[in-house]
């Protein structure tokens, strides 16, 4: 029988004898060695595809830990602010393990696939006439004043769960990569991966540490710009955040690893998304593609000398936000119900 994620890494997680070993089948996601993209840049490029998690994103890793600890503490309800993936994950785990979920989202700023998930899982969904940062302030205040557990990445158990992806990468490669590229929105993931790598290093499971390479969207790049972005805008809805909760921790991960936090344009993100799909057969949501957009940007800058081991995390499934693709692709042609018309159209 397959181990649950919490069971596999219990020695590295804040688990006690009273922590329930819950699971929806999260973790153990594929680390795909690219066939074409790596060749383009002269590197060994691997894609850690988190879109195969139960609700289609990396958030499930952290949520299973947060929900397990909430249950252990006797909680009856959880709350989160979300640009989409956190709401889907919180709603699913709450539904499965008998908790009430409240998710607060910025009105009109969430991909329909993610909103549909939160609603079908039965969460109480509330839209706020504001951005994600406004939503986060509200739910933080509510969790401080009412008996409800906050399950955003401000909850340390979220990052504890998310760091297991770094463990899986090392367990597969039998070493740490030279570089690890990630999207950066609320900045919890780059923080969590660095926690995982440093913990494995301390446990002598790896002899070196990767450079952490984080990439924000140009329209939502507060860490790069050095100031809060009051009205963040980007097609990559999952990282449309102007004041990241883990800002300082992300900077620490960057600095301690001798890495980089930079930004990429929406055009670069969409080009990378298309490249990942057309060259490697993996459909990720736009925010996910910012990691590979970062690889492309750094390759053009000449940081790779050849043969480096590079991992890029793809944080979510492309079906989370299909409109981003449908708005960019050419219109599909319609032909008569005739074989000769089909042959002509496809050019046989």
């Amino acid at each position: 029988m397959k181990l649950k994620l919490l069971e596999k890494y219990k020695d590295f997680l804040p688990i006690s004898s009273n922590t329930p070993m819950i699971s929806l089948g999260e973790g153990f996601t594929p680390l795909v060695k690219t066939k074409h993209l790596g060749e383009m840049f002269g590197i060994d490029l691997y894609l850690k595809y988190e879109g195969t998690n139960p609700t289609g994103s990396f958030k499930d890793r952290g949520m299973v830990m947060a929900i397990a600890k909430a249950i252990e503490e006797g909680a009856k309800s959880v709350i989160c602010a979300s640009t989409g993936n956190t709401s889907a994950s919180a709603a699913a785990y709450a539904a499965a393990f008998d908790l009430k979920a409240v998710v607060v989202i910025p009105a009109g700023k969430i991909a329909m696939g993610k909103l549909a998930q939160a609603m079908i899982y039965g969460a109480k969904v509330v839209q706020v006439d504001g951005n994600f940062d406004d939503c986060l302030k509200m739910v933080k205040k509510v969790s401080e004043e009412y008996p409800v557990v906050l399950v955003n990445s401000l909850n340390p158990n979220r990052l504890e769960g998310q760091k297991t992806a770094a463990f899986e990468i090392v367990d597969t490669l039998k070493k740490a990569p030279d570089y690890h590229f990630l999207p950066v929105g609320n900045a919890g993931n780059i923080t969590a991966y660095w926690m995982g790598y440093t913990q494995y290093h301390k446990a002598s499971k790896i002899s070196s540490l990767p450079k952490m390479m984080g990439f924000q969207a140009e329209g939502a790049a507060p860490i790069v710009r050095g100031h809060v972005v009051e009205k963040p805008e980007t097609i990559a809805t999952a990282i449309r955040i102007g004041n990241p909760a883990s800002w300082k921790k992300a900077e620490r991960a960057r600095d301690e690893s001798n890495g980089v936090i930079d930004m990429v344009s929406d055009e670069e993100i969409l080009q990378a998304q298309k490249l990942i799909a057309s060259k490697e057969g993996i459909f990720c949501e736009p925010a996910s593609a910012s990691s590979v957009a970062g690889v492309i940007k750094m390759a053009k800058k000449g940081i790779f000398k050849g043969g480096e081991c590079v991992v890029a995390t793809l944080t979510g499934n492309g079906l989370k936000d299909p409109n981003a693709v449908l708005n960019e692709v050419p219109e599909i042609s319609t032909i008569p119900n005739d074989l000769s018309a089909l042959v002509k159209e496809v050019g046989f």
Side-chain angles (χ1 to χ4, degrees):
M1 183 176 171
K2 183 180 175 182
L3 271 180
K4 296 174 182 176
L5 187 70
L6 297 185
E7 291 173 337
K8 168 122 177 144
Y9 295 112
K10 64 182 186 296
D11 293 342
F12 294 92
L13 293 169
I15 286 175
S16 74
S17 58
N18 296 320
T19 307
M21 294 288 105
I22 62 173
S23 178
L24 284 178
E26 64 288 322
F28 309 102
T29 57
L31 183 66
V32 180
K33 184 172 185 180
T34 61
K35 183 178 180 182
H36 301 103
L37 295 182
E39 288 181 0
M40 289 171 63
F41 311 122
I43 57 177
D44 290 328
L45 177 61
Y46 295 83
L47 304 176
K48 182 60 168 169
Y49 184 41
E50 292 288 272
T52 62
N53 275 297
T55 73
S57 89
F58 76 97
K59 302 287 186 175
D60 295 339
R61 291 182 182 276
M63 200 58 66
V64 71
M65 188 74 256
I67 295 294
K69 295 304 282 188
I71 294 169
E72 181 180 351
E73 294 159 11
K76 301 299 181 186
S77 59
V78 296
I79 191 169
C80 69
S82 180
T83 55
N85 284 327
T86 298
S87 68
S89 188
Y93 281 84
F97 301 106
D98 304 314
L99 297 173
K100 178 183 177 182
V102 178
V103 302
V104 181
I105 60 176
K109 300 292 185 180
I110 177 172
M112 286 299 102
K114 302 172 189 180
L115 178 58
Q117 285 183 284
M119 295 180 73
I120 197 67
Y121 293 136
K124 175 64 177 178
V125 179
V126 181
Q127 293 192 106
V128 171
D129 185 15
N131 61 32
F132 168 81
D133 304 298
D134 299 321
C135 296
L136 185 59
K137 287 176 189 174
M138 291 175 71
V139 299
K140 185 174 182 291
K141 190 72 173 173
V142 169
S143 70
E144 290 167 352
E145 297 182 2
Y146 296 90
V148 59
V149 174
L150 181 69
V151 291
N152 280 98
S153 57
L154 286 168
N155 181 330
N157 293 314
R158 278 279 311 280
L159 301 187
E160 289 287 340
Q162 284 169 213
K163 74 185 181 186
T164 58
F167 298 158
E168 289 179 10
I169 288 165
V170 170
D171 290 347
T172 299
L173 295 177
K174 308 305 180 187
K175 63 177 182 179
D178 298 308
Y179 294 89
H180 192 127
F181 285 73
L182 291 132
V184 173
N186 217 22
N189 221 17
I190 190 170
T191 303
Y193 272 87
W194 184 239
M195 285 170 56
Y197 284 126
T198 53
Q199 199 168 357
Y200 253 29
H201 186 260
K202 188 175 180 180
S204 300
K205 287 182 172 285
I206 47 175
S207 58
S208 63
L209 289 162
K211 291 180 172 65
M212 303 303 294
M213 313 290 284
F215 286 83
Q216 300 188 292
E218 274 186 0
I223 298 176
V224 181
R225 300 186 189 282
H227 60 79
V228 172
V229 177
E230 295 293 344
K231 294 183 178 179
E233 283 299 336
T234 172
I235 196 167
T237 56
I239 54 174
R240 189 191 281 150
I241 295 170
N243 188 14
S246 299
W247 188 324
K248 295 302 177 185
K249 292 177 181 177
E251 288 183 325
R252 189 157 63 245
R254 173 198 65 193
D255 296 343
E256 289 178 0
S257 71
N258 295 313
V260 165
I261 294 181
D262 203 341
M263 58 187 176
V264 286
S265 68
D266 279 6
E267 182 181 1
E268 289 173 311
I269 288 170
L270 291 173
Q271 287 176 345
Q273 182 191 31
K274 186 175 181 181
L275 202 60
I276 297 162
S278 62
K279 296 296 185 184
E280 304 298 338
I282 297 174
F283 183 26
C284 67
E285 67 172 306
S288 299
S290 62
S291 60
V292 173
V295 173
I296 296 168
K297 183 172 184 174
M298 291 296 104
K300 288 178 179 177
K301 286 188 174 182
I303 71 160
F304 303 127
K305 306 307 175 188
E308 290 93 341
C309 179
V310 179
V311 172
T313 296
L314 305 181
T315 46
N317 193 299
L319 293 176
K320 291 274 192 174
D321 190 5
N323 286 348
V325 173
L326 295 174
N327 291 336
E328 296 292 322
V329 296
E331 187 177 338
I332 300 172
S333 59
T334 301
I335 63 170
N337 184 12
D338 180 77
L339 179 60
S340 61
L342 173 61
V343 172
K344 181 180 178 181
E345 179 66 26
V346 298
F348 288 136

